[in-house]
Amino acid sequence: MTTPETPFVPARRFIRHASKIPLSCSRSGHRDDPPQELTNVSFGGLAFVSPERHDPGDVLELSFPSLRTQPRLQGEVVWSRVDPQSKTKRYIEGIRFLDEQDHFRARLVEQICYIEAYTEQEREKGRILTHEEAAEEWTQKYAAAFPS
């Protein structure tokens, strides 16, 4: 319930798109952390599962090894919590993009959504692909026609 003293403030500014695309990240001045798994992405940021906890305020360089383009994004950790569904200690972490290049982020989200749709399409045909396999196949088949 909102009152004049407590106005409604939406928790999210952007729609999140579920995804399981592999993600690589590293902290500035450190070697790459162990591979991560993206859980969702939006124009404002992303969330991923990590075996290592990052502190809020840490700046990470992110890349997506299975996507056509390999630019690195920078993001700031805004939250980190223990993954309650994991049997081993893993963390779900939220990242806010630092770069204001909305065009690139929009293209990234769009490409990830296409790969997820391709994964589902192949599953309906009886083909079970890992997210990495689906990303690689989609890239080989359709990336050349994907506008950059």
Side-chain angles (χ1 to χ4, degrees):
M1 178 180 205
T2 61
T3 67
E5 297 82 34
T6 58
F8 173 74
V9 178
R12 298 207 185 283
R13 290 179 42 206
F14 304 103
I15 296 171
R16 295 246 174 210
H17 301 275
S19 182
K20 299 277 186 194
I21 299 292
L23 166 75
S24 294
C25 76
S26 62
R27 283 181 271 196
S28 184
H30 293 80
R31 61 176 174 66
D32 282 353
D33 290 344
Q36 323 295 324
E37 183 178 278
L38 184 65
T39 59
N40 62 62
V41 63
S42 76
F43 293 120
L46 56 83
F48 66 94
V49 177
S50 174
E52 181 178 320
R53 183 181 185 280
H54 298 95
D55 295 320
D58 282 352
V59 175
L60 303 177
E61 286 192 16
L62 311 164
S63 65
F64 303 87
S66 57
L67 299 183
R68 180 180 104 184
T69 57
Q70 287 299 307
R72 295 181 78 81
L73 301 172
Q74 282 198 327
E76 176 186 2
V77 177
V78 291
W79 55 265
S80 179
R81 57 182 159 249
V82 174
D83 181 355
Q85 298 177 344
S86 176
K87 293 179 180 165
T88 61
K89 194 166 192 174
R90 297 187 330 165
Y91 301 89
I92 302 173
E93 304 195 319
I95 300 292
R96 174 182 67 88
F97 293 129
L98 295 179
D99 193 333
E100 294 298 322
Q101 293 181 340
D102 288 337
H103 176 73
F104 174 73
R105 288 199 306 255
R107 305 305 293 156
L108 176 65
V109 171
E110 187 177 8
Q111 194 172 16
I112 289 170
C113 290
Y114 276 117
I115 293 167
E116 292 297 325
Y118 179 76
T119 303
E120 184 59 32
Q121 173 187 336
E122 294 303 303
R123 184 177 299 120
E124 289 172 3
K125 293 178 184 176
R127 290 187 67 217
I128 306 301
L129 300 172
T130 67
H131 294 286
E132 194 166 42
E133 291 167 337
E136 186 175 323
E137 278 188 25
W138 182 89
T139 300
Q140 289 173 357
K141 290 180 179 182
Y142 304 109
F146 190 77
S148 52

